[in-house]
Amino acid sequence: MRKLYLDQKIWSVREKFTIYDDRERPVYRAQGSLFKIPKHFDIFDLQDHVVASVTKQPLHWLPRFDLKIGGQPVATIQKQFSLFKPRYDLVAAGLTVTGDFWDMNFTVSRRGQVVGTVAKRWFSVGDKYEITSQDDTDSLLLVGLVLAIDYVKRQAQAAANSSSTGN
């Protein structure tokens, strides 16, 4: 089992994240694109090599992202239509996501077996997420999932704030 902590930089225009292990040592860093369409995030290892990427697909009614690890497509993250609480599908080999996306607490399972969990840390400066993976090979998949859902939530909050201040 591996625990990672995804910590967003507070005053970052490019949406920068540092991913630490349970001993508070950096493992990865992630950075969002700036003024690019489609929006994408690159995940870098400690040697500054891109090890994974999350790219928002343009021209979809609901947000949809492609996740690549090592340059290979591994999953599509799709927001589903829902009236009250947000729902997401993770289209990959046998993976399902269940839980509370509004509060960012959810579980990822493969054929009924839990492969990882995500929990938002509420009492921290900036957004911080605890990611637990049962197998290290699923760690980047979980990090990519969190980046995509966090981005959608931020966009929704920005839209809500701009519409409430525009009255």
Side-chain angles (χ1 to χ4, degrees), residues 141-152:
L141 179 108
L142 295 168
V143 168
L145 179 63
V146 170
L147 290 172
I149 294 174
D150 181 78
Y151 176 74
V152 171

Side-chain angles (χ1 to χ4, degrees), residues 1 7 20 45 47 55 82 93 101 104 113-114 119 131 161 165:
M1 178 168 31
D7 192 7
Y20 298 96
D45 63 12
Q47 290 76 37
T55 304
S82 62
F101 299 104
M104 292 296 284
Q113 298 289 344
V114 173
I131 301 169
N161 290 341
T165 59

Side-chain angles (χ1 to χ4, degrees), residues 6-34:
L6 189 141
D7 192 7
Q8 184 172 28
K9 305 284 185 211
I10 296 176
W11 303 106
S12 172
V13 176
R14 294 180 69 111
E15 296 154 326
K16 293 181 181 180
F17 299 83
T18 303
I19 298 96
Y20 298 96
D21 64 12
D22 55 355
R23 295 183 185 155
E24 298 185 17
R25 295 178 300 199
V27 179
Y28 303 112
R29 69 177 180 84
Q31 180 172 298
S33 61
L34 185 61

